Amino acid sequence: MGALSRPEEVLALVKLRVAAGQIKRQIPPEEHWAFGYSMLQKVSRSFALVIQQLGPELRNAVCIFYLVLRALDTVEDDTSIPTEVKVPILQEFYRHIYNRDWHFSCGTNHYKVLMDNFHHVSTAFLELGQGYRKAIEEITRRMGAGMAKFICKEVETVDDYDEYCHYVAGLVGYGLSRLFYAAGTEDLAPDSLSNSMGLFLQKTNIIRDYLEDINEIPKSRMFWPREIWSKYADKLEDFKYEENSEKAVWCLNDMVTNALIHAEECLQYMSALKDHAIFRFCAIPQIMAIGTCALCYNNVHVFRGVVKMRRGLTARIIDEANSMSDVCTAFYEFSSLIESKIDDNDPNAALTRRRVDSIKQTCKSSGLVKRRGYHLDKSPYKPMLIMIVLVLVAILFGVLYTK
């Protein structure tokens, strides 16, 4: 029955559907802003939802920041672009955002539309306040230079891995912290904490996307560090094959354990936030990251297909991430799920336990943990209760949708 077997998720899905409908009616009338917000919904629906909850000025800045970096990422990701063409574009991209006439056709689907119509993004960027423009330019320049460096460099060591993730995600954390500060709503966060916010998300995505990345055409670009995967296989693509399942899972668990080192600094960053909308904007992706780590850990399906959180649980997280108590509860429960999946035969079992225990102790010491019950697998509810709740939700949906 999928989401229907989890009544608390059905309600969250209904609320998310209503909120998404309201967002579509809030798209600005100006052509360049309409393009920006419409494109945002196409390349990241959940991200578009949390952005729309920010104050108007900051919302516009974060929207354009996201689209600029998404365009930069599209250039980096397009493996059909020759290196001698790609590297100069990445290095000069920060200059192009000031040029209303610049565009570069690459990518596929919605990303190609974004690149072909980049003049709308530039137009909107030039309307932002100077503080916002300066922050976006700086991060775009540094990120483009870092991406260009790794076009010509493999991720060999864990230090390389951290450096690459810093360029493509830690700098996003830097940029967002600067935008929050420019808006006058937050103190400027330490760069180390901002960096961890980005690295935790990026490493989770790299882990989850193994199969999609390894099968990319015309050629794959992989960011699992050789220092980790070479302990378990001669070639990274060996993990795709069933006969290598045990060692593939050991490598996967090693990667998840590496990502968990950033969790406590993420909690520290979020605990310092003052603005409720900014807090939710930061908290939702971080909870999704720790949940995805729990889903991927010890899960051979990462090497067989798509592993992602079900829509109902995602909707519930979006609905419930309102305070540090909610964040600490989610981090505690998802860490506990990882702990329950640790196999004593795993080479990293002891280190994983230490990392998970440290996260749990940080959450417990806050005094904010409550019981919520995030279930990644089967539903704990009986069919009759489910049917009763579904009837009530159907009635509620009818009422909300008519408003």
Side-chain angles (χ1 to χ4, degrees):
M1 294 178 69
L4 298 181
S5 65
R6 301 173 176 86
E8 75 284 0
E9 293 181 11
V10 176
L11 179 57
L13 279 166
V14 170
K15 293 168 74 173
L16 186 64
R17 177 76 178 272
V18 172
Q22 292 173 340
I23 284 175
K24 288 182 179 179
R25 294 192 290 271
Q26 293 173 353
I27 294 177
E30 297 87 356
E31 184 181 11
H32 49 288
W33 286 110
F35 174 83
Y37 279 103
S38 297
M39 186 55 56
L40 188 65
Q41 291 183 42
K42 291 172 182 175
V43 298
S44 181
R45 290 183 181 178
S46 58
F47 197 73
L49 183 65
V50 291
I51 283 181
Q52 289 281 14
Q53 297 176 26
L54 298 170
E57 187 180 278
L58 181 58
R59 179 172 65 217
N60 286 344
V62 174
C63 173
I64 296 307
F65 183 47
Y66 183 87
L67 291 176
V68 166
L69 298 188
R70 177 57 69 185
L72 182 64
D73 190 56
T74 300
V75 175
E76 186 210 19
D77 282 347
D78 192 332
T79 54
S80 69
I81 305 172
T83 298
E84 63 272 18
V85 175
K86 180 182 291 189
V87 169
I89 292 175
L90 293 174
Q91 292 172 331
E92 296 296 315
F93 204 92
Y94 74 100
R95 300 183 191 274
H96 299 318
I97 59 179
Y98 286 92
N99 184 354
R100 298 175 194 265
D101 298 322
W102 184 86
H103 71 278
F104 180 76
S105 187
C106 65
T108 59
N109 302 321
H110 297 312
Y111 302 103
K112 187 176 188 306
V113 175
L114 171 62
M115 298 304 298
D116 288 341
N117 295 275
F118 193 76
H119 62 282
H120 288 311
V121 179
S122 297
T123 300
F125 168 78
L126 291 170
E127 292 183 2
L128 298 176
Q130 184 179 2
Y132 296 128
R133 293 199 309 272
K134 182 179 178 181
I136 294 171
E137 178 191 344
E138 178 197 353
I139 299 305
T140 305
R141 176 182 59 79
R142 294 171 67 178
M143 185 179 293
M147 286 178 169
K149 177 179 178 178
F150 276 89
I151 293 296
C152 309
K153 175 182 171 66
E154 295 292 326
V155 177
E156 297 285 345
T157 67
V158 172
D159 285 345
D160 291 339
Y161 183 44
D162 286 341
E163 184 183 9
Y164 174 76
C165 290
H166 165 72
Y167 286 133
V168 300
L171 287 174
V172 178
Y174 282 28
L176 288 171
S177 293
R178 284 156 172 72
L179 294 181
F180 301 157
Y181 180 71
T185 51
E186 301 290 347
D187 298 328
L188 185 59
D191 283 348
S192 60
L193 301 187
S194 300
N195 191 56
S196 283
M197 290 285 283
L199 263 62
F200 191 42
L201 301 184
Q202 182 67 21
K203 288 185 175 183
T204 300
N205 289 340
I206 286 173
I207 292 165
R208 181 199 61 200
D209 294 341
Y210 167 87
L211 192 63
E212 178 185 342
D213 291 343
I214 202 83
N215 289 333
E216 189 175 1
I217 297 172
K219 60 181 179 179
S220 63
R221 288 195 69 215
M222 296 299 295
F223 302 101
W224 289 39
R226 181 183 295 272
E227 184 179 340
I228 291 179
W229 65 256
S230 63
K231 292 185 286 184
Y232 309 98
D234 294 327
K235 294 182 292 185
L236 188 53
E237 57 264 31
D238 290 348
F239 296 140
K240 292 194 298 182
Y241 308 115
E242 192 169 348
E243 62 267 26
N244 300 318
S245 293
E246 182 180 56
K247 289 190 175 180
V249 169
W250 287 354
C251 182
L252 170 66
N253 293 347
D254 201 337
M255 291 287 288
V256 172
T257 301
N258 172 275
L260 292 176
I261 200 169
H262 304 292
E264 290 170 80
E265 287 199 333
C266 293
L267 290 169
Q268 187 179 343
Y269 180 100
M270 289 183 282
S271 68
L273 295 172
K274 304 170 186 176
D275 183 89
H276 179 66
I278 290 175
F279 175 82
R280 279 179 47 78
F281 172 83
C282 294
I284 290 167
Q286 296 296 330
I287 295 174
M288 292 291 295
I290 190 72
T292 301
C293 283
L295 189 61
C296 290
Y297 184 83
N298 217 41
N299 186 353
V300 73
H301 293 294
V302 170
F303 305 99
R304 305 286 182 265
V306 179
V307 174
K308 61 189 298 186
M309 242 185 248
R310 60 182 182 270
R311 288 174 59 84
L313 183 54
T314 298
R316 187 179 169 199
I317 288 169
I318 291 172
D319 183 47
E320 295 179 354
N322 291 302
S323 68
M324 269 310 291
S325 178
D326 299 318
V327 171
C328 288
T329 299
F331 269 64
Y332 184 89
E333 292 198 357
F334 284 128
S335 296
S336 297
L337 284 170
I338 294 173
E339 185 178 42
S340 71
K341 295 164 70 175
I342 296 174
D343 184 343
D344 287 336
N345 295 319
D346 188 290
N348 291 281
L351 178 58
T352 307
R353 280 200 178 91
R354 287 198 299 272
R355 295 254 168 100
V356 166
D357 185 64
S358 185
I359 296 168
K360 291 175 65 178
Q361 289 302 319
T362 297
C363 294
K364 284 176 66 177
S365 65
S366 72
L368 298 173
V369 175
K370 54 192 175 184
R371 180 165 178 77
R372 178 147 282 165
Y374 289 110
H375 301 280
L376 289 174
D377 301 313
K378 63 183 181 180
S379 169
Y381 298 104
K382 296 181 179 180
M384 183 57 68
L385 174 61
I386 293 169
M387 294 307 298
I388 293 172
V389 173
L390 289 179
V391 171
L392 294 174
V393 168
I395 295 170
L396 177 61
F397 179 80
V399 173
L400 290 173
Y401 201 72
T402 55
K403 288 185 177 181

